[in-house]
Amino acid sequence: MKNKLLGSAALAAVMAFGLPAMAQSPIKVGFVSTFSGPQAAIGEDMRRSVELAKEHLGGKMGGKPFEIIYEDDQFKPDVGKARSEKLVQQDKVNFIAGYIWSNVLLASYKPVVDEGDTILISANAGPSQIAGELCNKNFFSTSWQNDQTPMAMGEYLNTKGVKSLYLVGPNYAAGKDMLAGVKRTYKGKIVSEDFTKWPDQLDFSAEMTKIAAAKPDGIFIFYPGAHGVQFVKQWAQSGLNKTVPLYQVFSIDAITLPQQGDLALGTLGAQEWVNDLPNEANKKYVEDFKKKHGTYPSYYGAQSYDAIMLMASAAEALKGDLSNKDKVRAEMKKANFKSVRGDFKFGNNNFPIENFYIQETVKDPQGMMTVKTIATAVKDAVDPFAAKCPMK
């Protein structure tokens, strides 16, 4: 009888001291990006901002510690899919975020949001399919739908009287969306449209020759990362920078500017976030990032920072209890966090309703290459595929 009582007491002690330990089991966040190869600088910029968000949160979400498991998609859809499946099935993460490339996100989408019933926050890629018919309660974006940024540029070019454009972009999902986006709003003449091989093609001399012969009023491009560096350099080397202005989305940013340098000065781009947006959350983010890394963050980083803060807002509202996914999704839908872009709200398809700005490449007072806001192109933009999403 005495042994039984001791056993009961021991069990009670284990329960008493074990439950708090169990309650502190960490929230797990998977983050998929490109951390190797020619586009690794983008992934590293995202990682830096994720780690800064974690620091700003004191390492906790809703009172519970959280850990981040980084996975390298190697710039390949099949690898990204495999890494995403590993995070869901093996690591059993509460959230997955990241995804630079639309083709990687599309390959990973169903295994995460459908088969894995796991919440996915895209910190960059925004393919039209996911915004429309393939929208899902488990998918959220802290960036944009692919068409939106070029649509904003098209609107701006209309106001500036640009009569004709030559469009160039890579032949994959995002490239097609981006060129389709500018055509949605631009009212001038599309002189020609070239899709280049992705990701292998880094020589644009043939395209430069065709542009020179066409004599458009402007060139519109979408070339992220290393491809944007090469296009800008070759545009200048060809002499077209003296005769045909370059208008771009996602091709000139904090990551590419150290290599593009003065060649990019004066070029215009469109974006939903610029480092000089005057809200307090953004000021703190940019200042702390610059202190740590000696450079400006990019929009990839800003969107990744927001992705972590979005998760944290749901965890905070639920006091760290993420067991009921319906409640988690409902809290995320509220977007009750201080975004670096200011006010933040979701549309019915869980893509943001947001402003888009025109940015100019400049040097800051210290001589560092950066971009600054010169105009608001569109206010409270709703992406063009939201009406095709069956969610309300």
Side-chain angles (χ1 to χ4, degrees):
M1 183 69 177
K2 185 177 179 181
N3 288 341
K4 287 183 178 179
L5 288 172
L6 284 171
S8 298
L11 178 62
V14 168
M15 291 178 67
F17 289 102
L19 282 176
M22 290 173 62
Q24 286 300 306
S25 59
I27 292 170
K28 291 185 177 182
V29 177
F31 198 90
V32 180
S33 192
T34 304
F35 298 112
S36 60
Q39 302 287 19
I42 300 176
E44 185 56 33
D45 186 80
M46 296 171 87
R47 189 204 305 261
R48 288 173 170 181
S49 290
V50 168
E51 291 298 325
L52 182 58
K54 185 176 182 180
E55 180 182 316
H56 284 174
L57 290 167
K60 292 187 176 182
M61 290 185 180
K64 295 180 68 174
F66 71 98
E67 64 179 73
I68 302 162
I69 304 169
Y70 293 99
E71 293 290 347
D72 181 8
D73 61 33
Q74 298 176 23
F75 203 17
K76 299 174 182 177
D78 58 334
V79 176
K81 178 184 177 185
R83 297 292 187 268
S84 299
E85 289 173 334
K86 178 252 185 189
L87 288 167
V88 171
Q89 298 167 11
Q90 180 178 320
D91 298 309
K92 301 189 184 305
V93 296
N94 300 97
F95 304 97
I96 294 183
Y99 300 99
I100 301 170
W101 316 106
S102 289
N103 52 354
V104 175
L105 176 57
L106 287 168
S108 308
Y109 185 65
K110 186 176 176 62
V112 175
V113 302
D114 282 339
E115 297 160 10
D117 191 26
T118 301
I119 295 172
L120 187 159
I121 303 98
S122 174
N124 195 65
S128 54
Q129 301 96 312
I130 292 176
E133 295 92 339
L134 296 182
C135 66
N136 188 289
K137 64 184 180 181
N138 281 326
F139 176 86
F140 293 82
S141 167
T142 53
S143 56
W144 25 259
Q145 190 276 316
N146 286 346
D147 294 54
Q148 287 185 282
T149 311
M151 287 172 65
M153 179 55 82
E155 294 278 16
Y156 182 76
L157 293 178
N158 292 336
T159 68
K160 293 302 175 183
V162 177
K163 303 296 185 185
S164 62
L165 277 181
Y166 197 112
L167 312 184
V168 194
N171 191 15
Y172 81 111
K176 294 174 183 177
D177 282 345
M178 296 290 172
L179 269 57
V182 77
K183 290 193 292 184
R184 282 181 178 273
T185 55
Y186 178 63
K187 296 177 181 178
K189 180 182 179 181
I190 303 297
V191 174
S192 190
E193 180 178 21
D194 285 349
F195 285 100
T196 57
K197 189 175 181 181
W198 180 260
D200 302 336
Q201 183 176 337
L202 287 167
D203 180 358
F204 303 108
S205 55
E207 286 71 31
M208 298 299 170
T209 299
K210 289 194 282 183
I211 292 168
K215 297 180 180 178
D217 285 348
I219 309 166
F220 173 86
I221 65 165
F222 162 70
Y223 281 109
H227 294 73
V229 171
Q230 290 304 313
F231 196 99
V232 170
K233 286 183 175 180
Q234 292 170 41
W235 167 67
Q237 289 165 359
S238 70
L240 286 171
N241 62 331
K242 297 181 176 63
T243 58
V244 189
L246 184 65
Y247 304 103
Q248 54 82 30
V249 291
F250 310 109
S251 306
I252 296 174
D253 55 47
I255 298 169
T256 64
L257 277 171
Q259 297 175 70
Q260 292 160 333
D262 289 358
L263 299 177
L265 282 172
T267 55
L268 301 182
Q271 193 51 260
E272 102 293 355
W273 174 86
V274 192
N275 62 71
D276 59 359
L277 294 181
N279 65 79
E280 291 306 313
N282 192 52
K283 289 177 181 178
K284 178 175 175 57
Y285 164 64
V286 173
E287 181 179 345
D288 288 355
F289 190 99
K290 287 178 70 179
K291 282 180 182 177
K292 276 183 169 292
H293 304 294
T295 186
Y296 287 92
S298 74
Y299 50 83
Y300 300 105
Q303 294 158 182
S304 300
Y305 183 93
D306 269 0
I308 300 300
M309 292 303 182
L310 172 62
M311 299 173 201
S313 70
E316 184 68 28
L318 298 171
K319 297 180 171 56
D321 181 3
L322 305 181
S323 58
N324 186 322
K325 289 186 180 179
D326 286 336
K327 289 183 178 179
V328 177
R329 287 186 286 261
E331 291 300 332
M332 290 185 68
K333 189 80 172 182
K334 294 176 185 177
N336 188 23
F337 72 103
K338 293 188 182 300
S339 167
V340 295
R341 72 200 70 177
D343 293 339
F344 191 106
K345 57 185 176 182
F346 285 116
N348 66 299
N349 59 358
N350 294 341
F351 278 81
I353 297 172
E354 58 194 337
N355 295 349
F356 286 84
Y357 306 95
I358 301 301
Q359 59 188 35
E360 180 182 4
T361 305
V362 298
K363 288 184 179 180
D364 71 9
Q366 289 72 46
M368 186 182 297
M369 298 293 296
T370 186
V371 294
K372 71 172 184 178
T373 308
I374 63 168
T376 301
V378 186
K379 290 186 177 181
D380 295 326
V382 178
D383 81 86
F385 294 89
K388 296 182 179 180
C389 171
M391 295 194 302
K392 302 298 182 185

